Structures are given as structure tokens and as C-alpha cells.
Amino acid sequence: KRNKALQRWYRLWQGATELQPYPEDERTNFHVPLTEWQVRAKLAREIDALLGEESEVIVKGVGPSDIERAPKLSRYMNWRIKSLRLFVKLHDYLLQKIVLGTTIGFLPWVRKERTVRESVKKETPITRSAIDEFSGLETIVNDTEITYEDVEKTVVDFEGPDLVVEDIENWALPSNSKTLEEADHFERRLRLTVDEILDLADLDKLDRKVLNKETIEKLRKLAETGSVGEGTETDSGKSVRDEKADLEGQPETGTARDERLTLINWVGWFRTKNAKAEDRAIRTVGFYQPDTHLLLGASRLVDLFPDGRHPFISSVLYRNYNRFWGKGLPEELESINAEMDSHHSGLTDVLPFTLG
């Protein structure tokens, strides 16, 4: 139900108009861009406050030594924010909050590497014959041969916390949840290739015993064909993604092949079957592949994140009372925008008769 509502609000932001079913009637199909104007104005104000011309991080010292270091730390923090290329990420983060009411950011520790090729100087000791300038006799001289060899090596492009804006249609929480921290559990849908799944296994987030050769071949076949023979639909967010792709003019799957698989990332309190009656539930993280019905990995939260916290942050535009999901501008303006469209269409239809 929520994904259907997200489709409506996203169409309002895109200014989508319905196709005229009876073109011979020559009826108007204009959409009053009230929602787009309000969203753009709100987004401009928030970005200007965070990343405007006069925005900067100011460090205020507490003690004498802190006061001396404050200017240096201010320059470093401003450079650090710019090095993260936060404009695009914050733009998407804020835009999703304004349009859909809620936005969630994933803050993983990222290490980005790249392969470079450089020429390395190589010195090889050699012996050669020469004529002694004093005696005129032939002698042996130790010399060094210098050559240059192209070698490839890996350098670290970036290492530190990153901001990944999550797709809201891929999240599910219990209806009584108020915040991510207070939720008994929550689920997020991941869209990953088989290689990305293997990367998670290399980071010890998935179980290598489950991801054996047979399972990997089964996952690759599923990614290439899109089916395991059961014909069941396990991706409830596909309709929203298709709606976005259609409004944004993206090519269909047949043109741009999508070989990503759906994984359900479950995070919450879990009590094992072999626990005693007095044992309490522990924070657990699991990765489940619904098409093959395989649990690819499950572990304690502290094993994946040493600080014992999940790396997610959430923001809402207008907070609903005792609810996690916030209220966005399209939801707020939906009825007003529909009324304005209706009035405009009515007046446009009446105008020819009035002139007649």
C-alpha cells in the first residue's frame, strides 16, 4: 500500500500527465506544477543553508590548546566535506526527504582502490671488459645497467565513511515503529550482482559454506535468466522502480540488461532456537535470497559493526505522530494539486463555449 502511495507522490513531483484516451475530444491535459514549485523552493533553501556560498564548518575551542588548533581544524573539516563530494549525495538525500517524506542514509566505511601503471627504475649489476688508461691492458670493470620497467600497483583512492542514499521503496518496518533505533526489526531490499555478493562474502558478511560452487552457479543462472522455474514474484518494489524508469525515460530491461539479484537484509532482535528460557534476544543481521530460499549469512550485529550500531540514519520532512514514516510535500499538496488541475481543465473546456 505504501509503495502505491509512493508512486502517486513521485508522479506529482515529476509532473506526470495522463495520456488523453480520446484525442478527438481535444480536451486539455495540463498539469498545474504546484508541487514541483514547492519542492524546488524547499530544496533550494535547505541546500543553500548546508552548502551555500557562506556555509562553513567553524570549530570553537574549549581550552587554551584547543583555541590554538581551532583555525587549522576548521580548514581541515571544510576540505574533508568537499573531498567527500557531498553535494550530489546531500542533494539526493534532501530531495527524497522532501518528495517522499522520509529518507534513509547508509554510512559504511569505504575503501576505494584503483590500479595505476608507473615506470620503475631498475639497476642491475654487470661486469664488462675495458682498457686500463694507465697500463693499456684489458681489465674487468664492475658497472650498473639501468633499465625502466612498467609495473602495475594498487593505490588507495579514498578510505573513510561514505554516504549512500537508500531507496525508500526497498524498506519495510513494523507499523508501530517510531525510529530505526526503537524498531524491533527492519528489512531492506538489496539489489546486488553475483560479484557484489561474493565481495560481501570476502568481507565475512556472508557464509562461505553456503556460497559453495553449486550455489554460486545457481545464483549466476538466476541473474542471467531471471527465474528459478517457480515463477513467483519476490520483489514488491519492482512496480515503483518501473514507474520511476518510465517517467525518467530509462531503457527497459531488454535494452539494458539488469543482472542484479534481490537480497533481503534483516536487522533486528533475534532469539535462537537453542537458547535457554532466561536467555535474551541479541541484535542480529541476516541476508536472505527469496528466489532460491537461501539464507546466505547471519551473524551478530557486533560482528559486522564493532561499535554495535547499525550504520543507518533517517530524516523526515514532517513527522507523523508516533510513526516512523514522515509526510512529504506531494502528500501534503496532493488534494490541492488535483483540485487545481480539475479547475484548470474545467475552465479550459468552458472557454470555447464562452467565446462562441
Side-chain angles (χ1 to χ4, degrees), residues 308-326:
R309 300 176 180 176
H310 56 72
F312 299 104
I313 57 173
S314 62
S315 301
V316 297
L317 184 63
Y318 301 121
R319 181 166 177 80
N320 280 333
Y321 178 68
N322 278 344
R323 291 292 180 267
F324 172 78
W325 299 111

Side-chain angles (χ1 to χ4, degrees), residues 38-106:
Q38 296 294 328
V39 169
R40 288 193 179 100
K42 178 67 175 175
L43 180 64
R45 287 194 296 269
E46 294 205 4
I47 288 183
D48 185 63
L50 291 173
L51 300 173
E53 295 180 356
E54 299 181 359
S55 64
E56 63 175 334
V57 177
I58 299 176
V59 179
K60 294 184 178 180
V62 178
S65 60
D66 297 336
I67 295 175
E68 294 178 358
R69 294 188 301 167
K72 182 178 180 180
L73 289 175
S74 296
R75 291 193 296 269
Y76 171 76
M77 289 303 299
N78 283 284
W79 168 82
R80 191 75 174 105
I81 289 176
K82 293 179 180 179
S83 68
L84 290 174
R85 300 180 178 90
L86 279 181
F87 179 81
V88 175
K89 300 172 185 178
L90 279 177
H91 179 279
D92 296 345
Y93 186 86
L94 296 174
L95 180 61
Q96 183 168 245
K97 179 188 72 172
I98 297 170
V99 174
L100 303 180
T102 308
T103 187
I104 298 176
F106 178 39

